[in-house]
Amino acid sequence: MANNDIEMLRKELDDVNLQLLDLINKRASIVQEIGHIKYKQGVNVFDPVREKEMLEQLVAHNKGPFDNATVKHIFKEVFKACVELQEDHHRKALLV
Amino acid sequence: MANNDIEMLRKELDDVNLQLLDLINKRASIVQEIGHIKYKQGVNVFDPVREKEMLEQLVAHNKGPFDNATVKHIFKEVFKACVELQEDHHRKALLV
């Protein structure tokens, strides 16, 4: 019985994983679009004030079970990966 | 015009952030449920084989713009946070 429950929960987890995957890639695409506009304007892509605001908004909406420190840690990793993706994109553009 | 576009994209980003927040917390809740069942069975909560399978499934479904290494890196952080949450939960249970 308990093993059936685990199987069911694992299927649910796989589903959530794929939804998360789609969302982080969607996030990366939006950040790329923003980066593209900023790049044309000659504005720096990384904006620490905006990043701080987003983290504050996330903490304000956090209902758990993750605590705020964990939410911030995970999102900082996602933000960093998005910034690196843009930098990589523009570095390649410069090489063309 | 470009600034309006950035504003619109930022709103979209805020929306995606909150969806991501809900999903990582949903994931944490499911992992807690699995952990609870495993704990009662006396089975170790951390399962490296299952973790590897999940990463392979994610890479197989990855359509970018994030590359597979980045997807793996972000998800490993999420997995680690979920395991820590369970360990913390059971440590507290032992102290009661």
Side-chain angles (χ1 to χ4, degrees), chain A residues 36 39 86-96:
Chain A
H36 190 63
Y39 187 69
Q86 286 178 87
E87 282 170 353
D88 201 39
H89 180 76
H90 293 140
R91 203 175 307 122
K92 278 179 192 151
L94 287 174
L95 291 174
V96 174

Side-chain angles (χ1 to χ4, degrees), chain B residues 33-63:
Chain B
E33 278 189 77
I34 295 174
H36 190 64
I37 297 170
K38 281 184 163 184
Y39 187 69
K40 284 197 288 186
Q41 291 178 330
V43 179
N44 200 337
V45 161
F46 178 62
D47 183 347
V49 176
R50 167 79 177 138
E51 197 167 299
K52 195 169 165 281
E53 279 170 7
M54 286 191 288
L55 289 174
E56 280 167 6
Q57 194 189 30
L58 286 160
V59 162
H61 283 85
N62 182 31
K63 298 186 198 97

Side-chain angles (χ1 to χ4, degrees), chain B residues 2 4-6 26 28 36 38 53 57 61 65-66 85-86:
Chain B
N4 280 349
D5 289 345
I6 287 187
K26 186 177 175 184
H36 190 64
K38 281 184 163 184
E53 279 170 7
Q57 194 189 30
H61 283 85
F66 277 139
L85 190 72
Q86 287 177 86

Side-chain angles (χ1 to χ4, degrees), chain A residues 9-74:
Chain A
L9 290 166
R10 280 184 167 173
K11 282 202 181 84
E12 225 180 301
L13 205 60
D14 287 341
D15 189 44
V16 171
N17 282 345
L18 294 180
Q19 287 179 53
L20 270 173
L21 175 66
D22 279 348
L23 269 182
I24 60 165
N25 273 323
K26 185 177 175 185
R27 193 185 192 285
S29 302
I30 299 170
V31 173
Q32 275 185 325
E33 279 190 74
I34 294 174
H36 190 63
I37 297 171
K38 281 183 163 183
Y39 187 69
K40 285 198 286 184
Q41 291 178 331
V43 179
N44 200 335
V45 160
F46 179 62
D47 182 348
V49 176
R50 166 78 176 140
E51 196 166 300
K52 195 170 166 280
E53 279 170 8
M54 286 191 290
L55 289 175
E56 280 167 7
Q57 194 189 31
L58 286 160
V59 162
H61 283 84
N62 183 32
K63 300 187 198 98
F66 277 139
D67 61 20
N68 293 340
T70 307
V71 166
K72 279 187 184 179
H73 172 74
I74 292 172

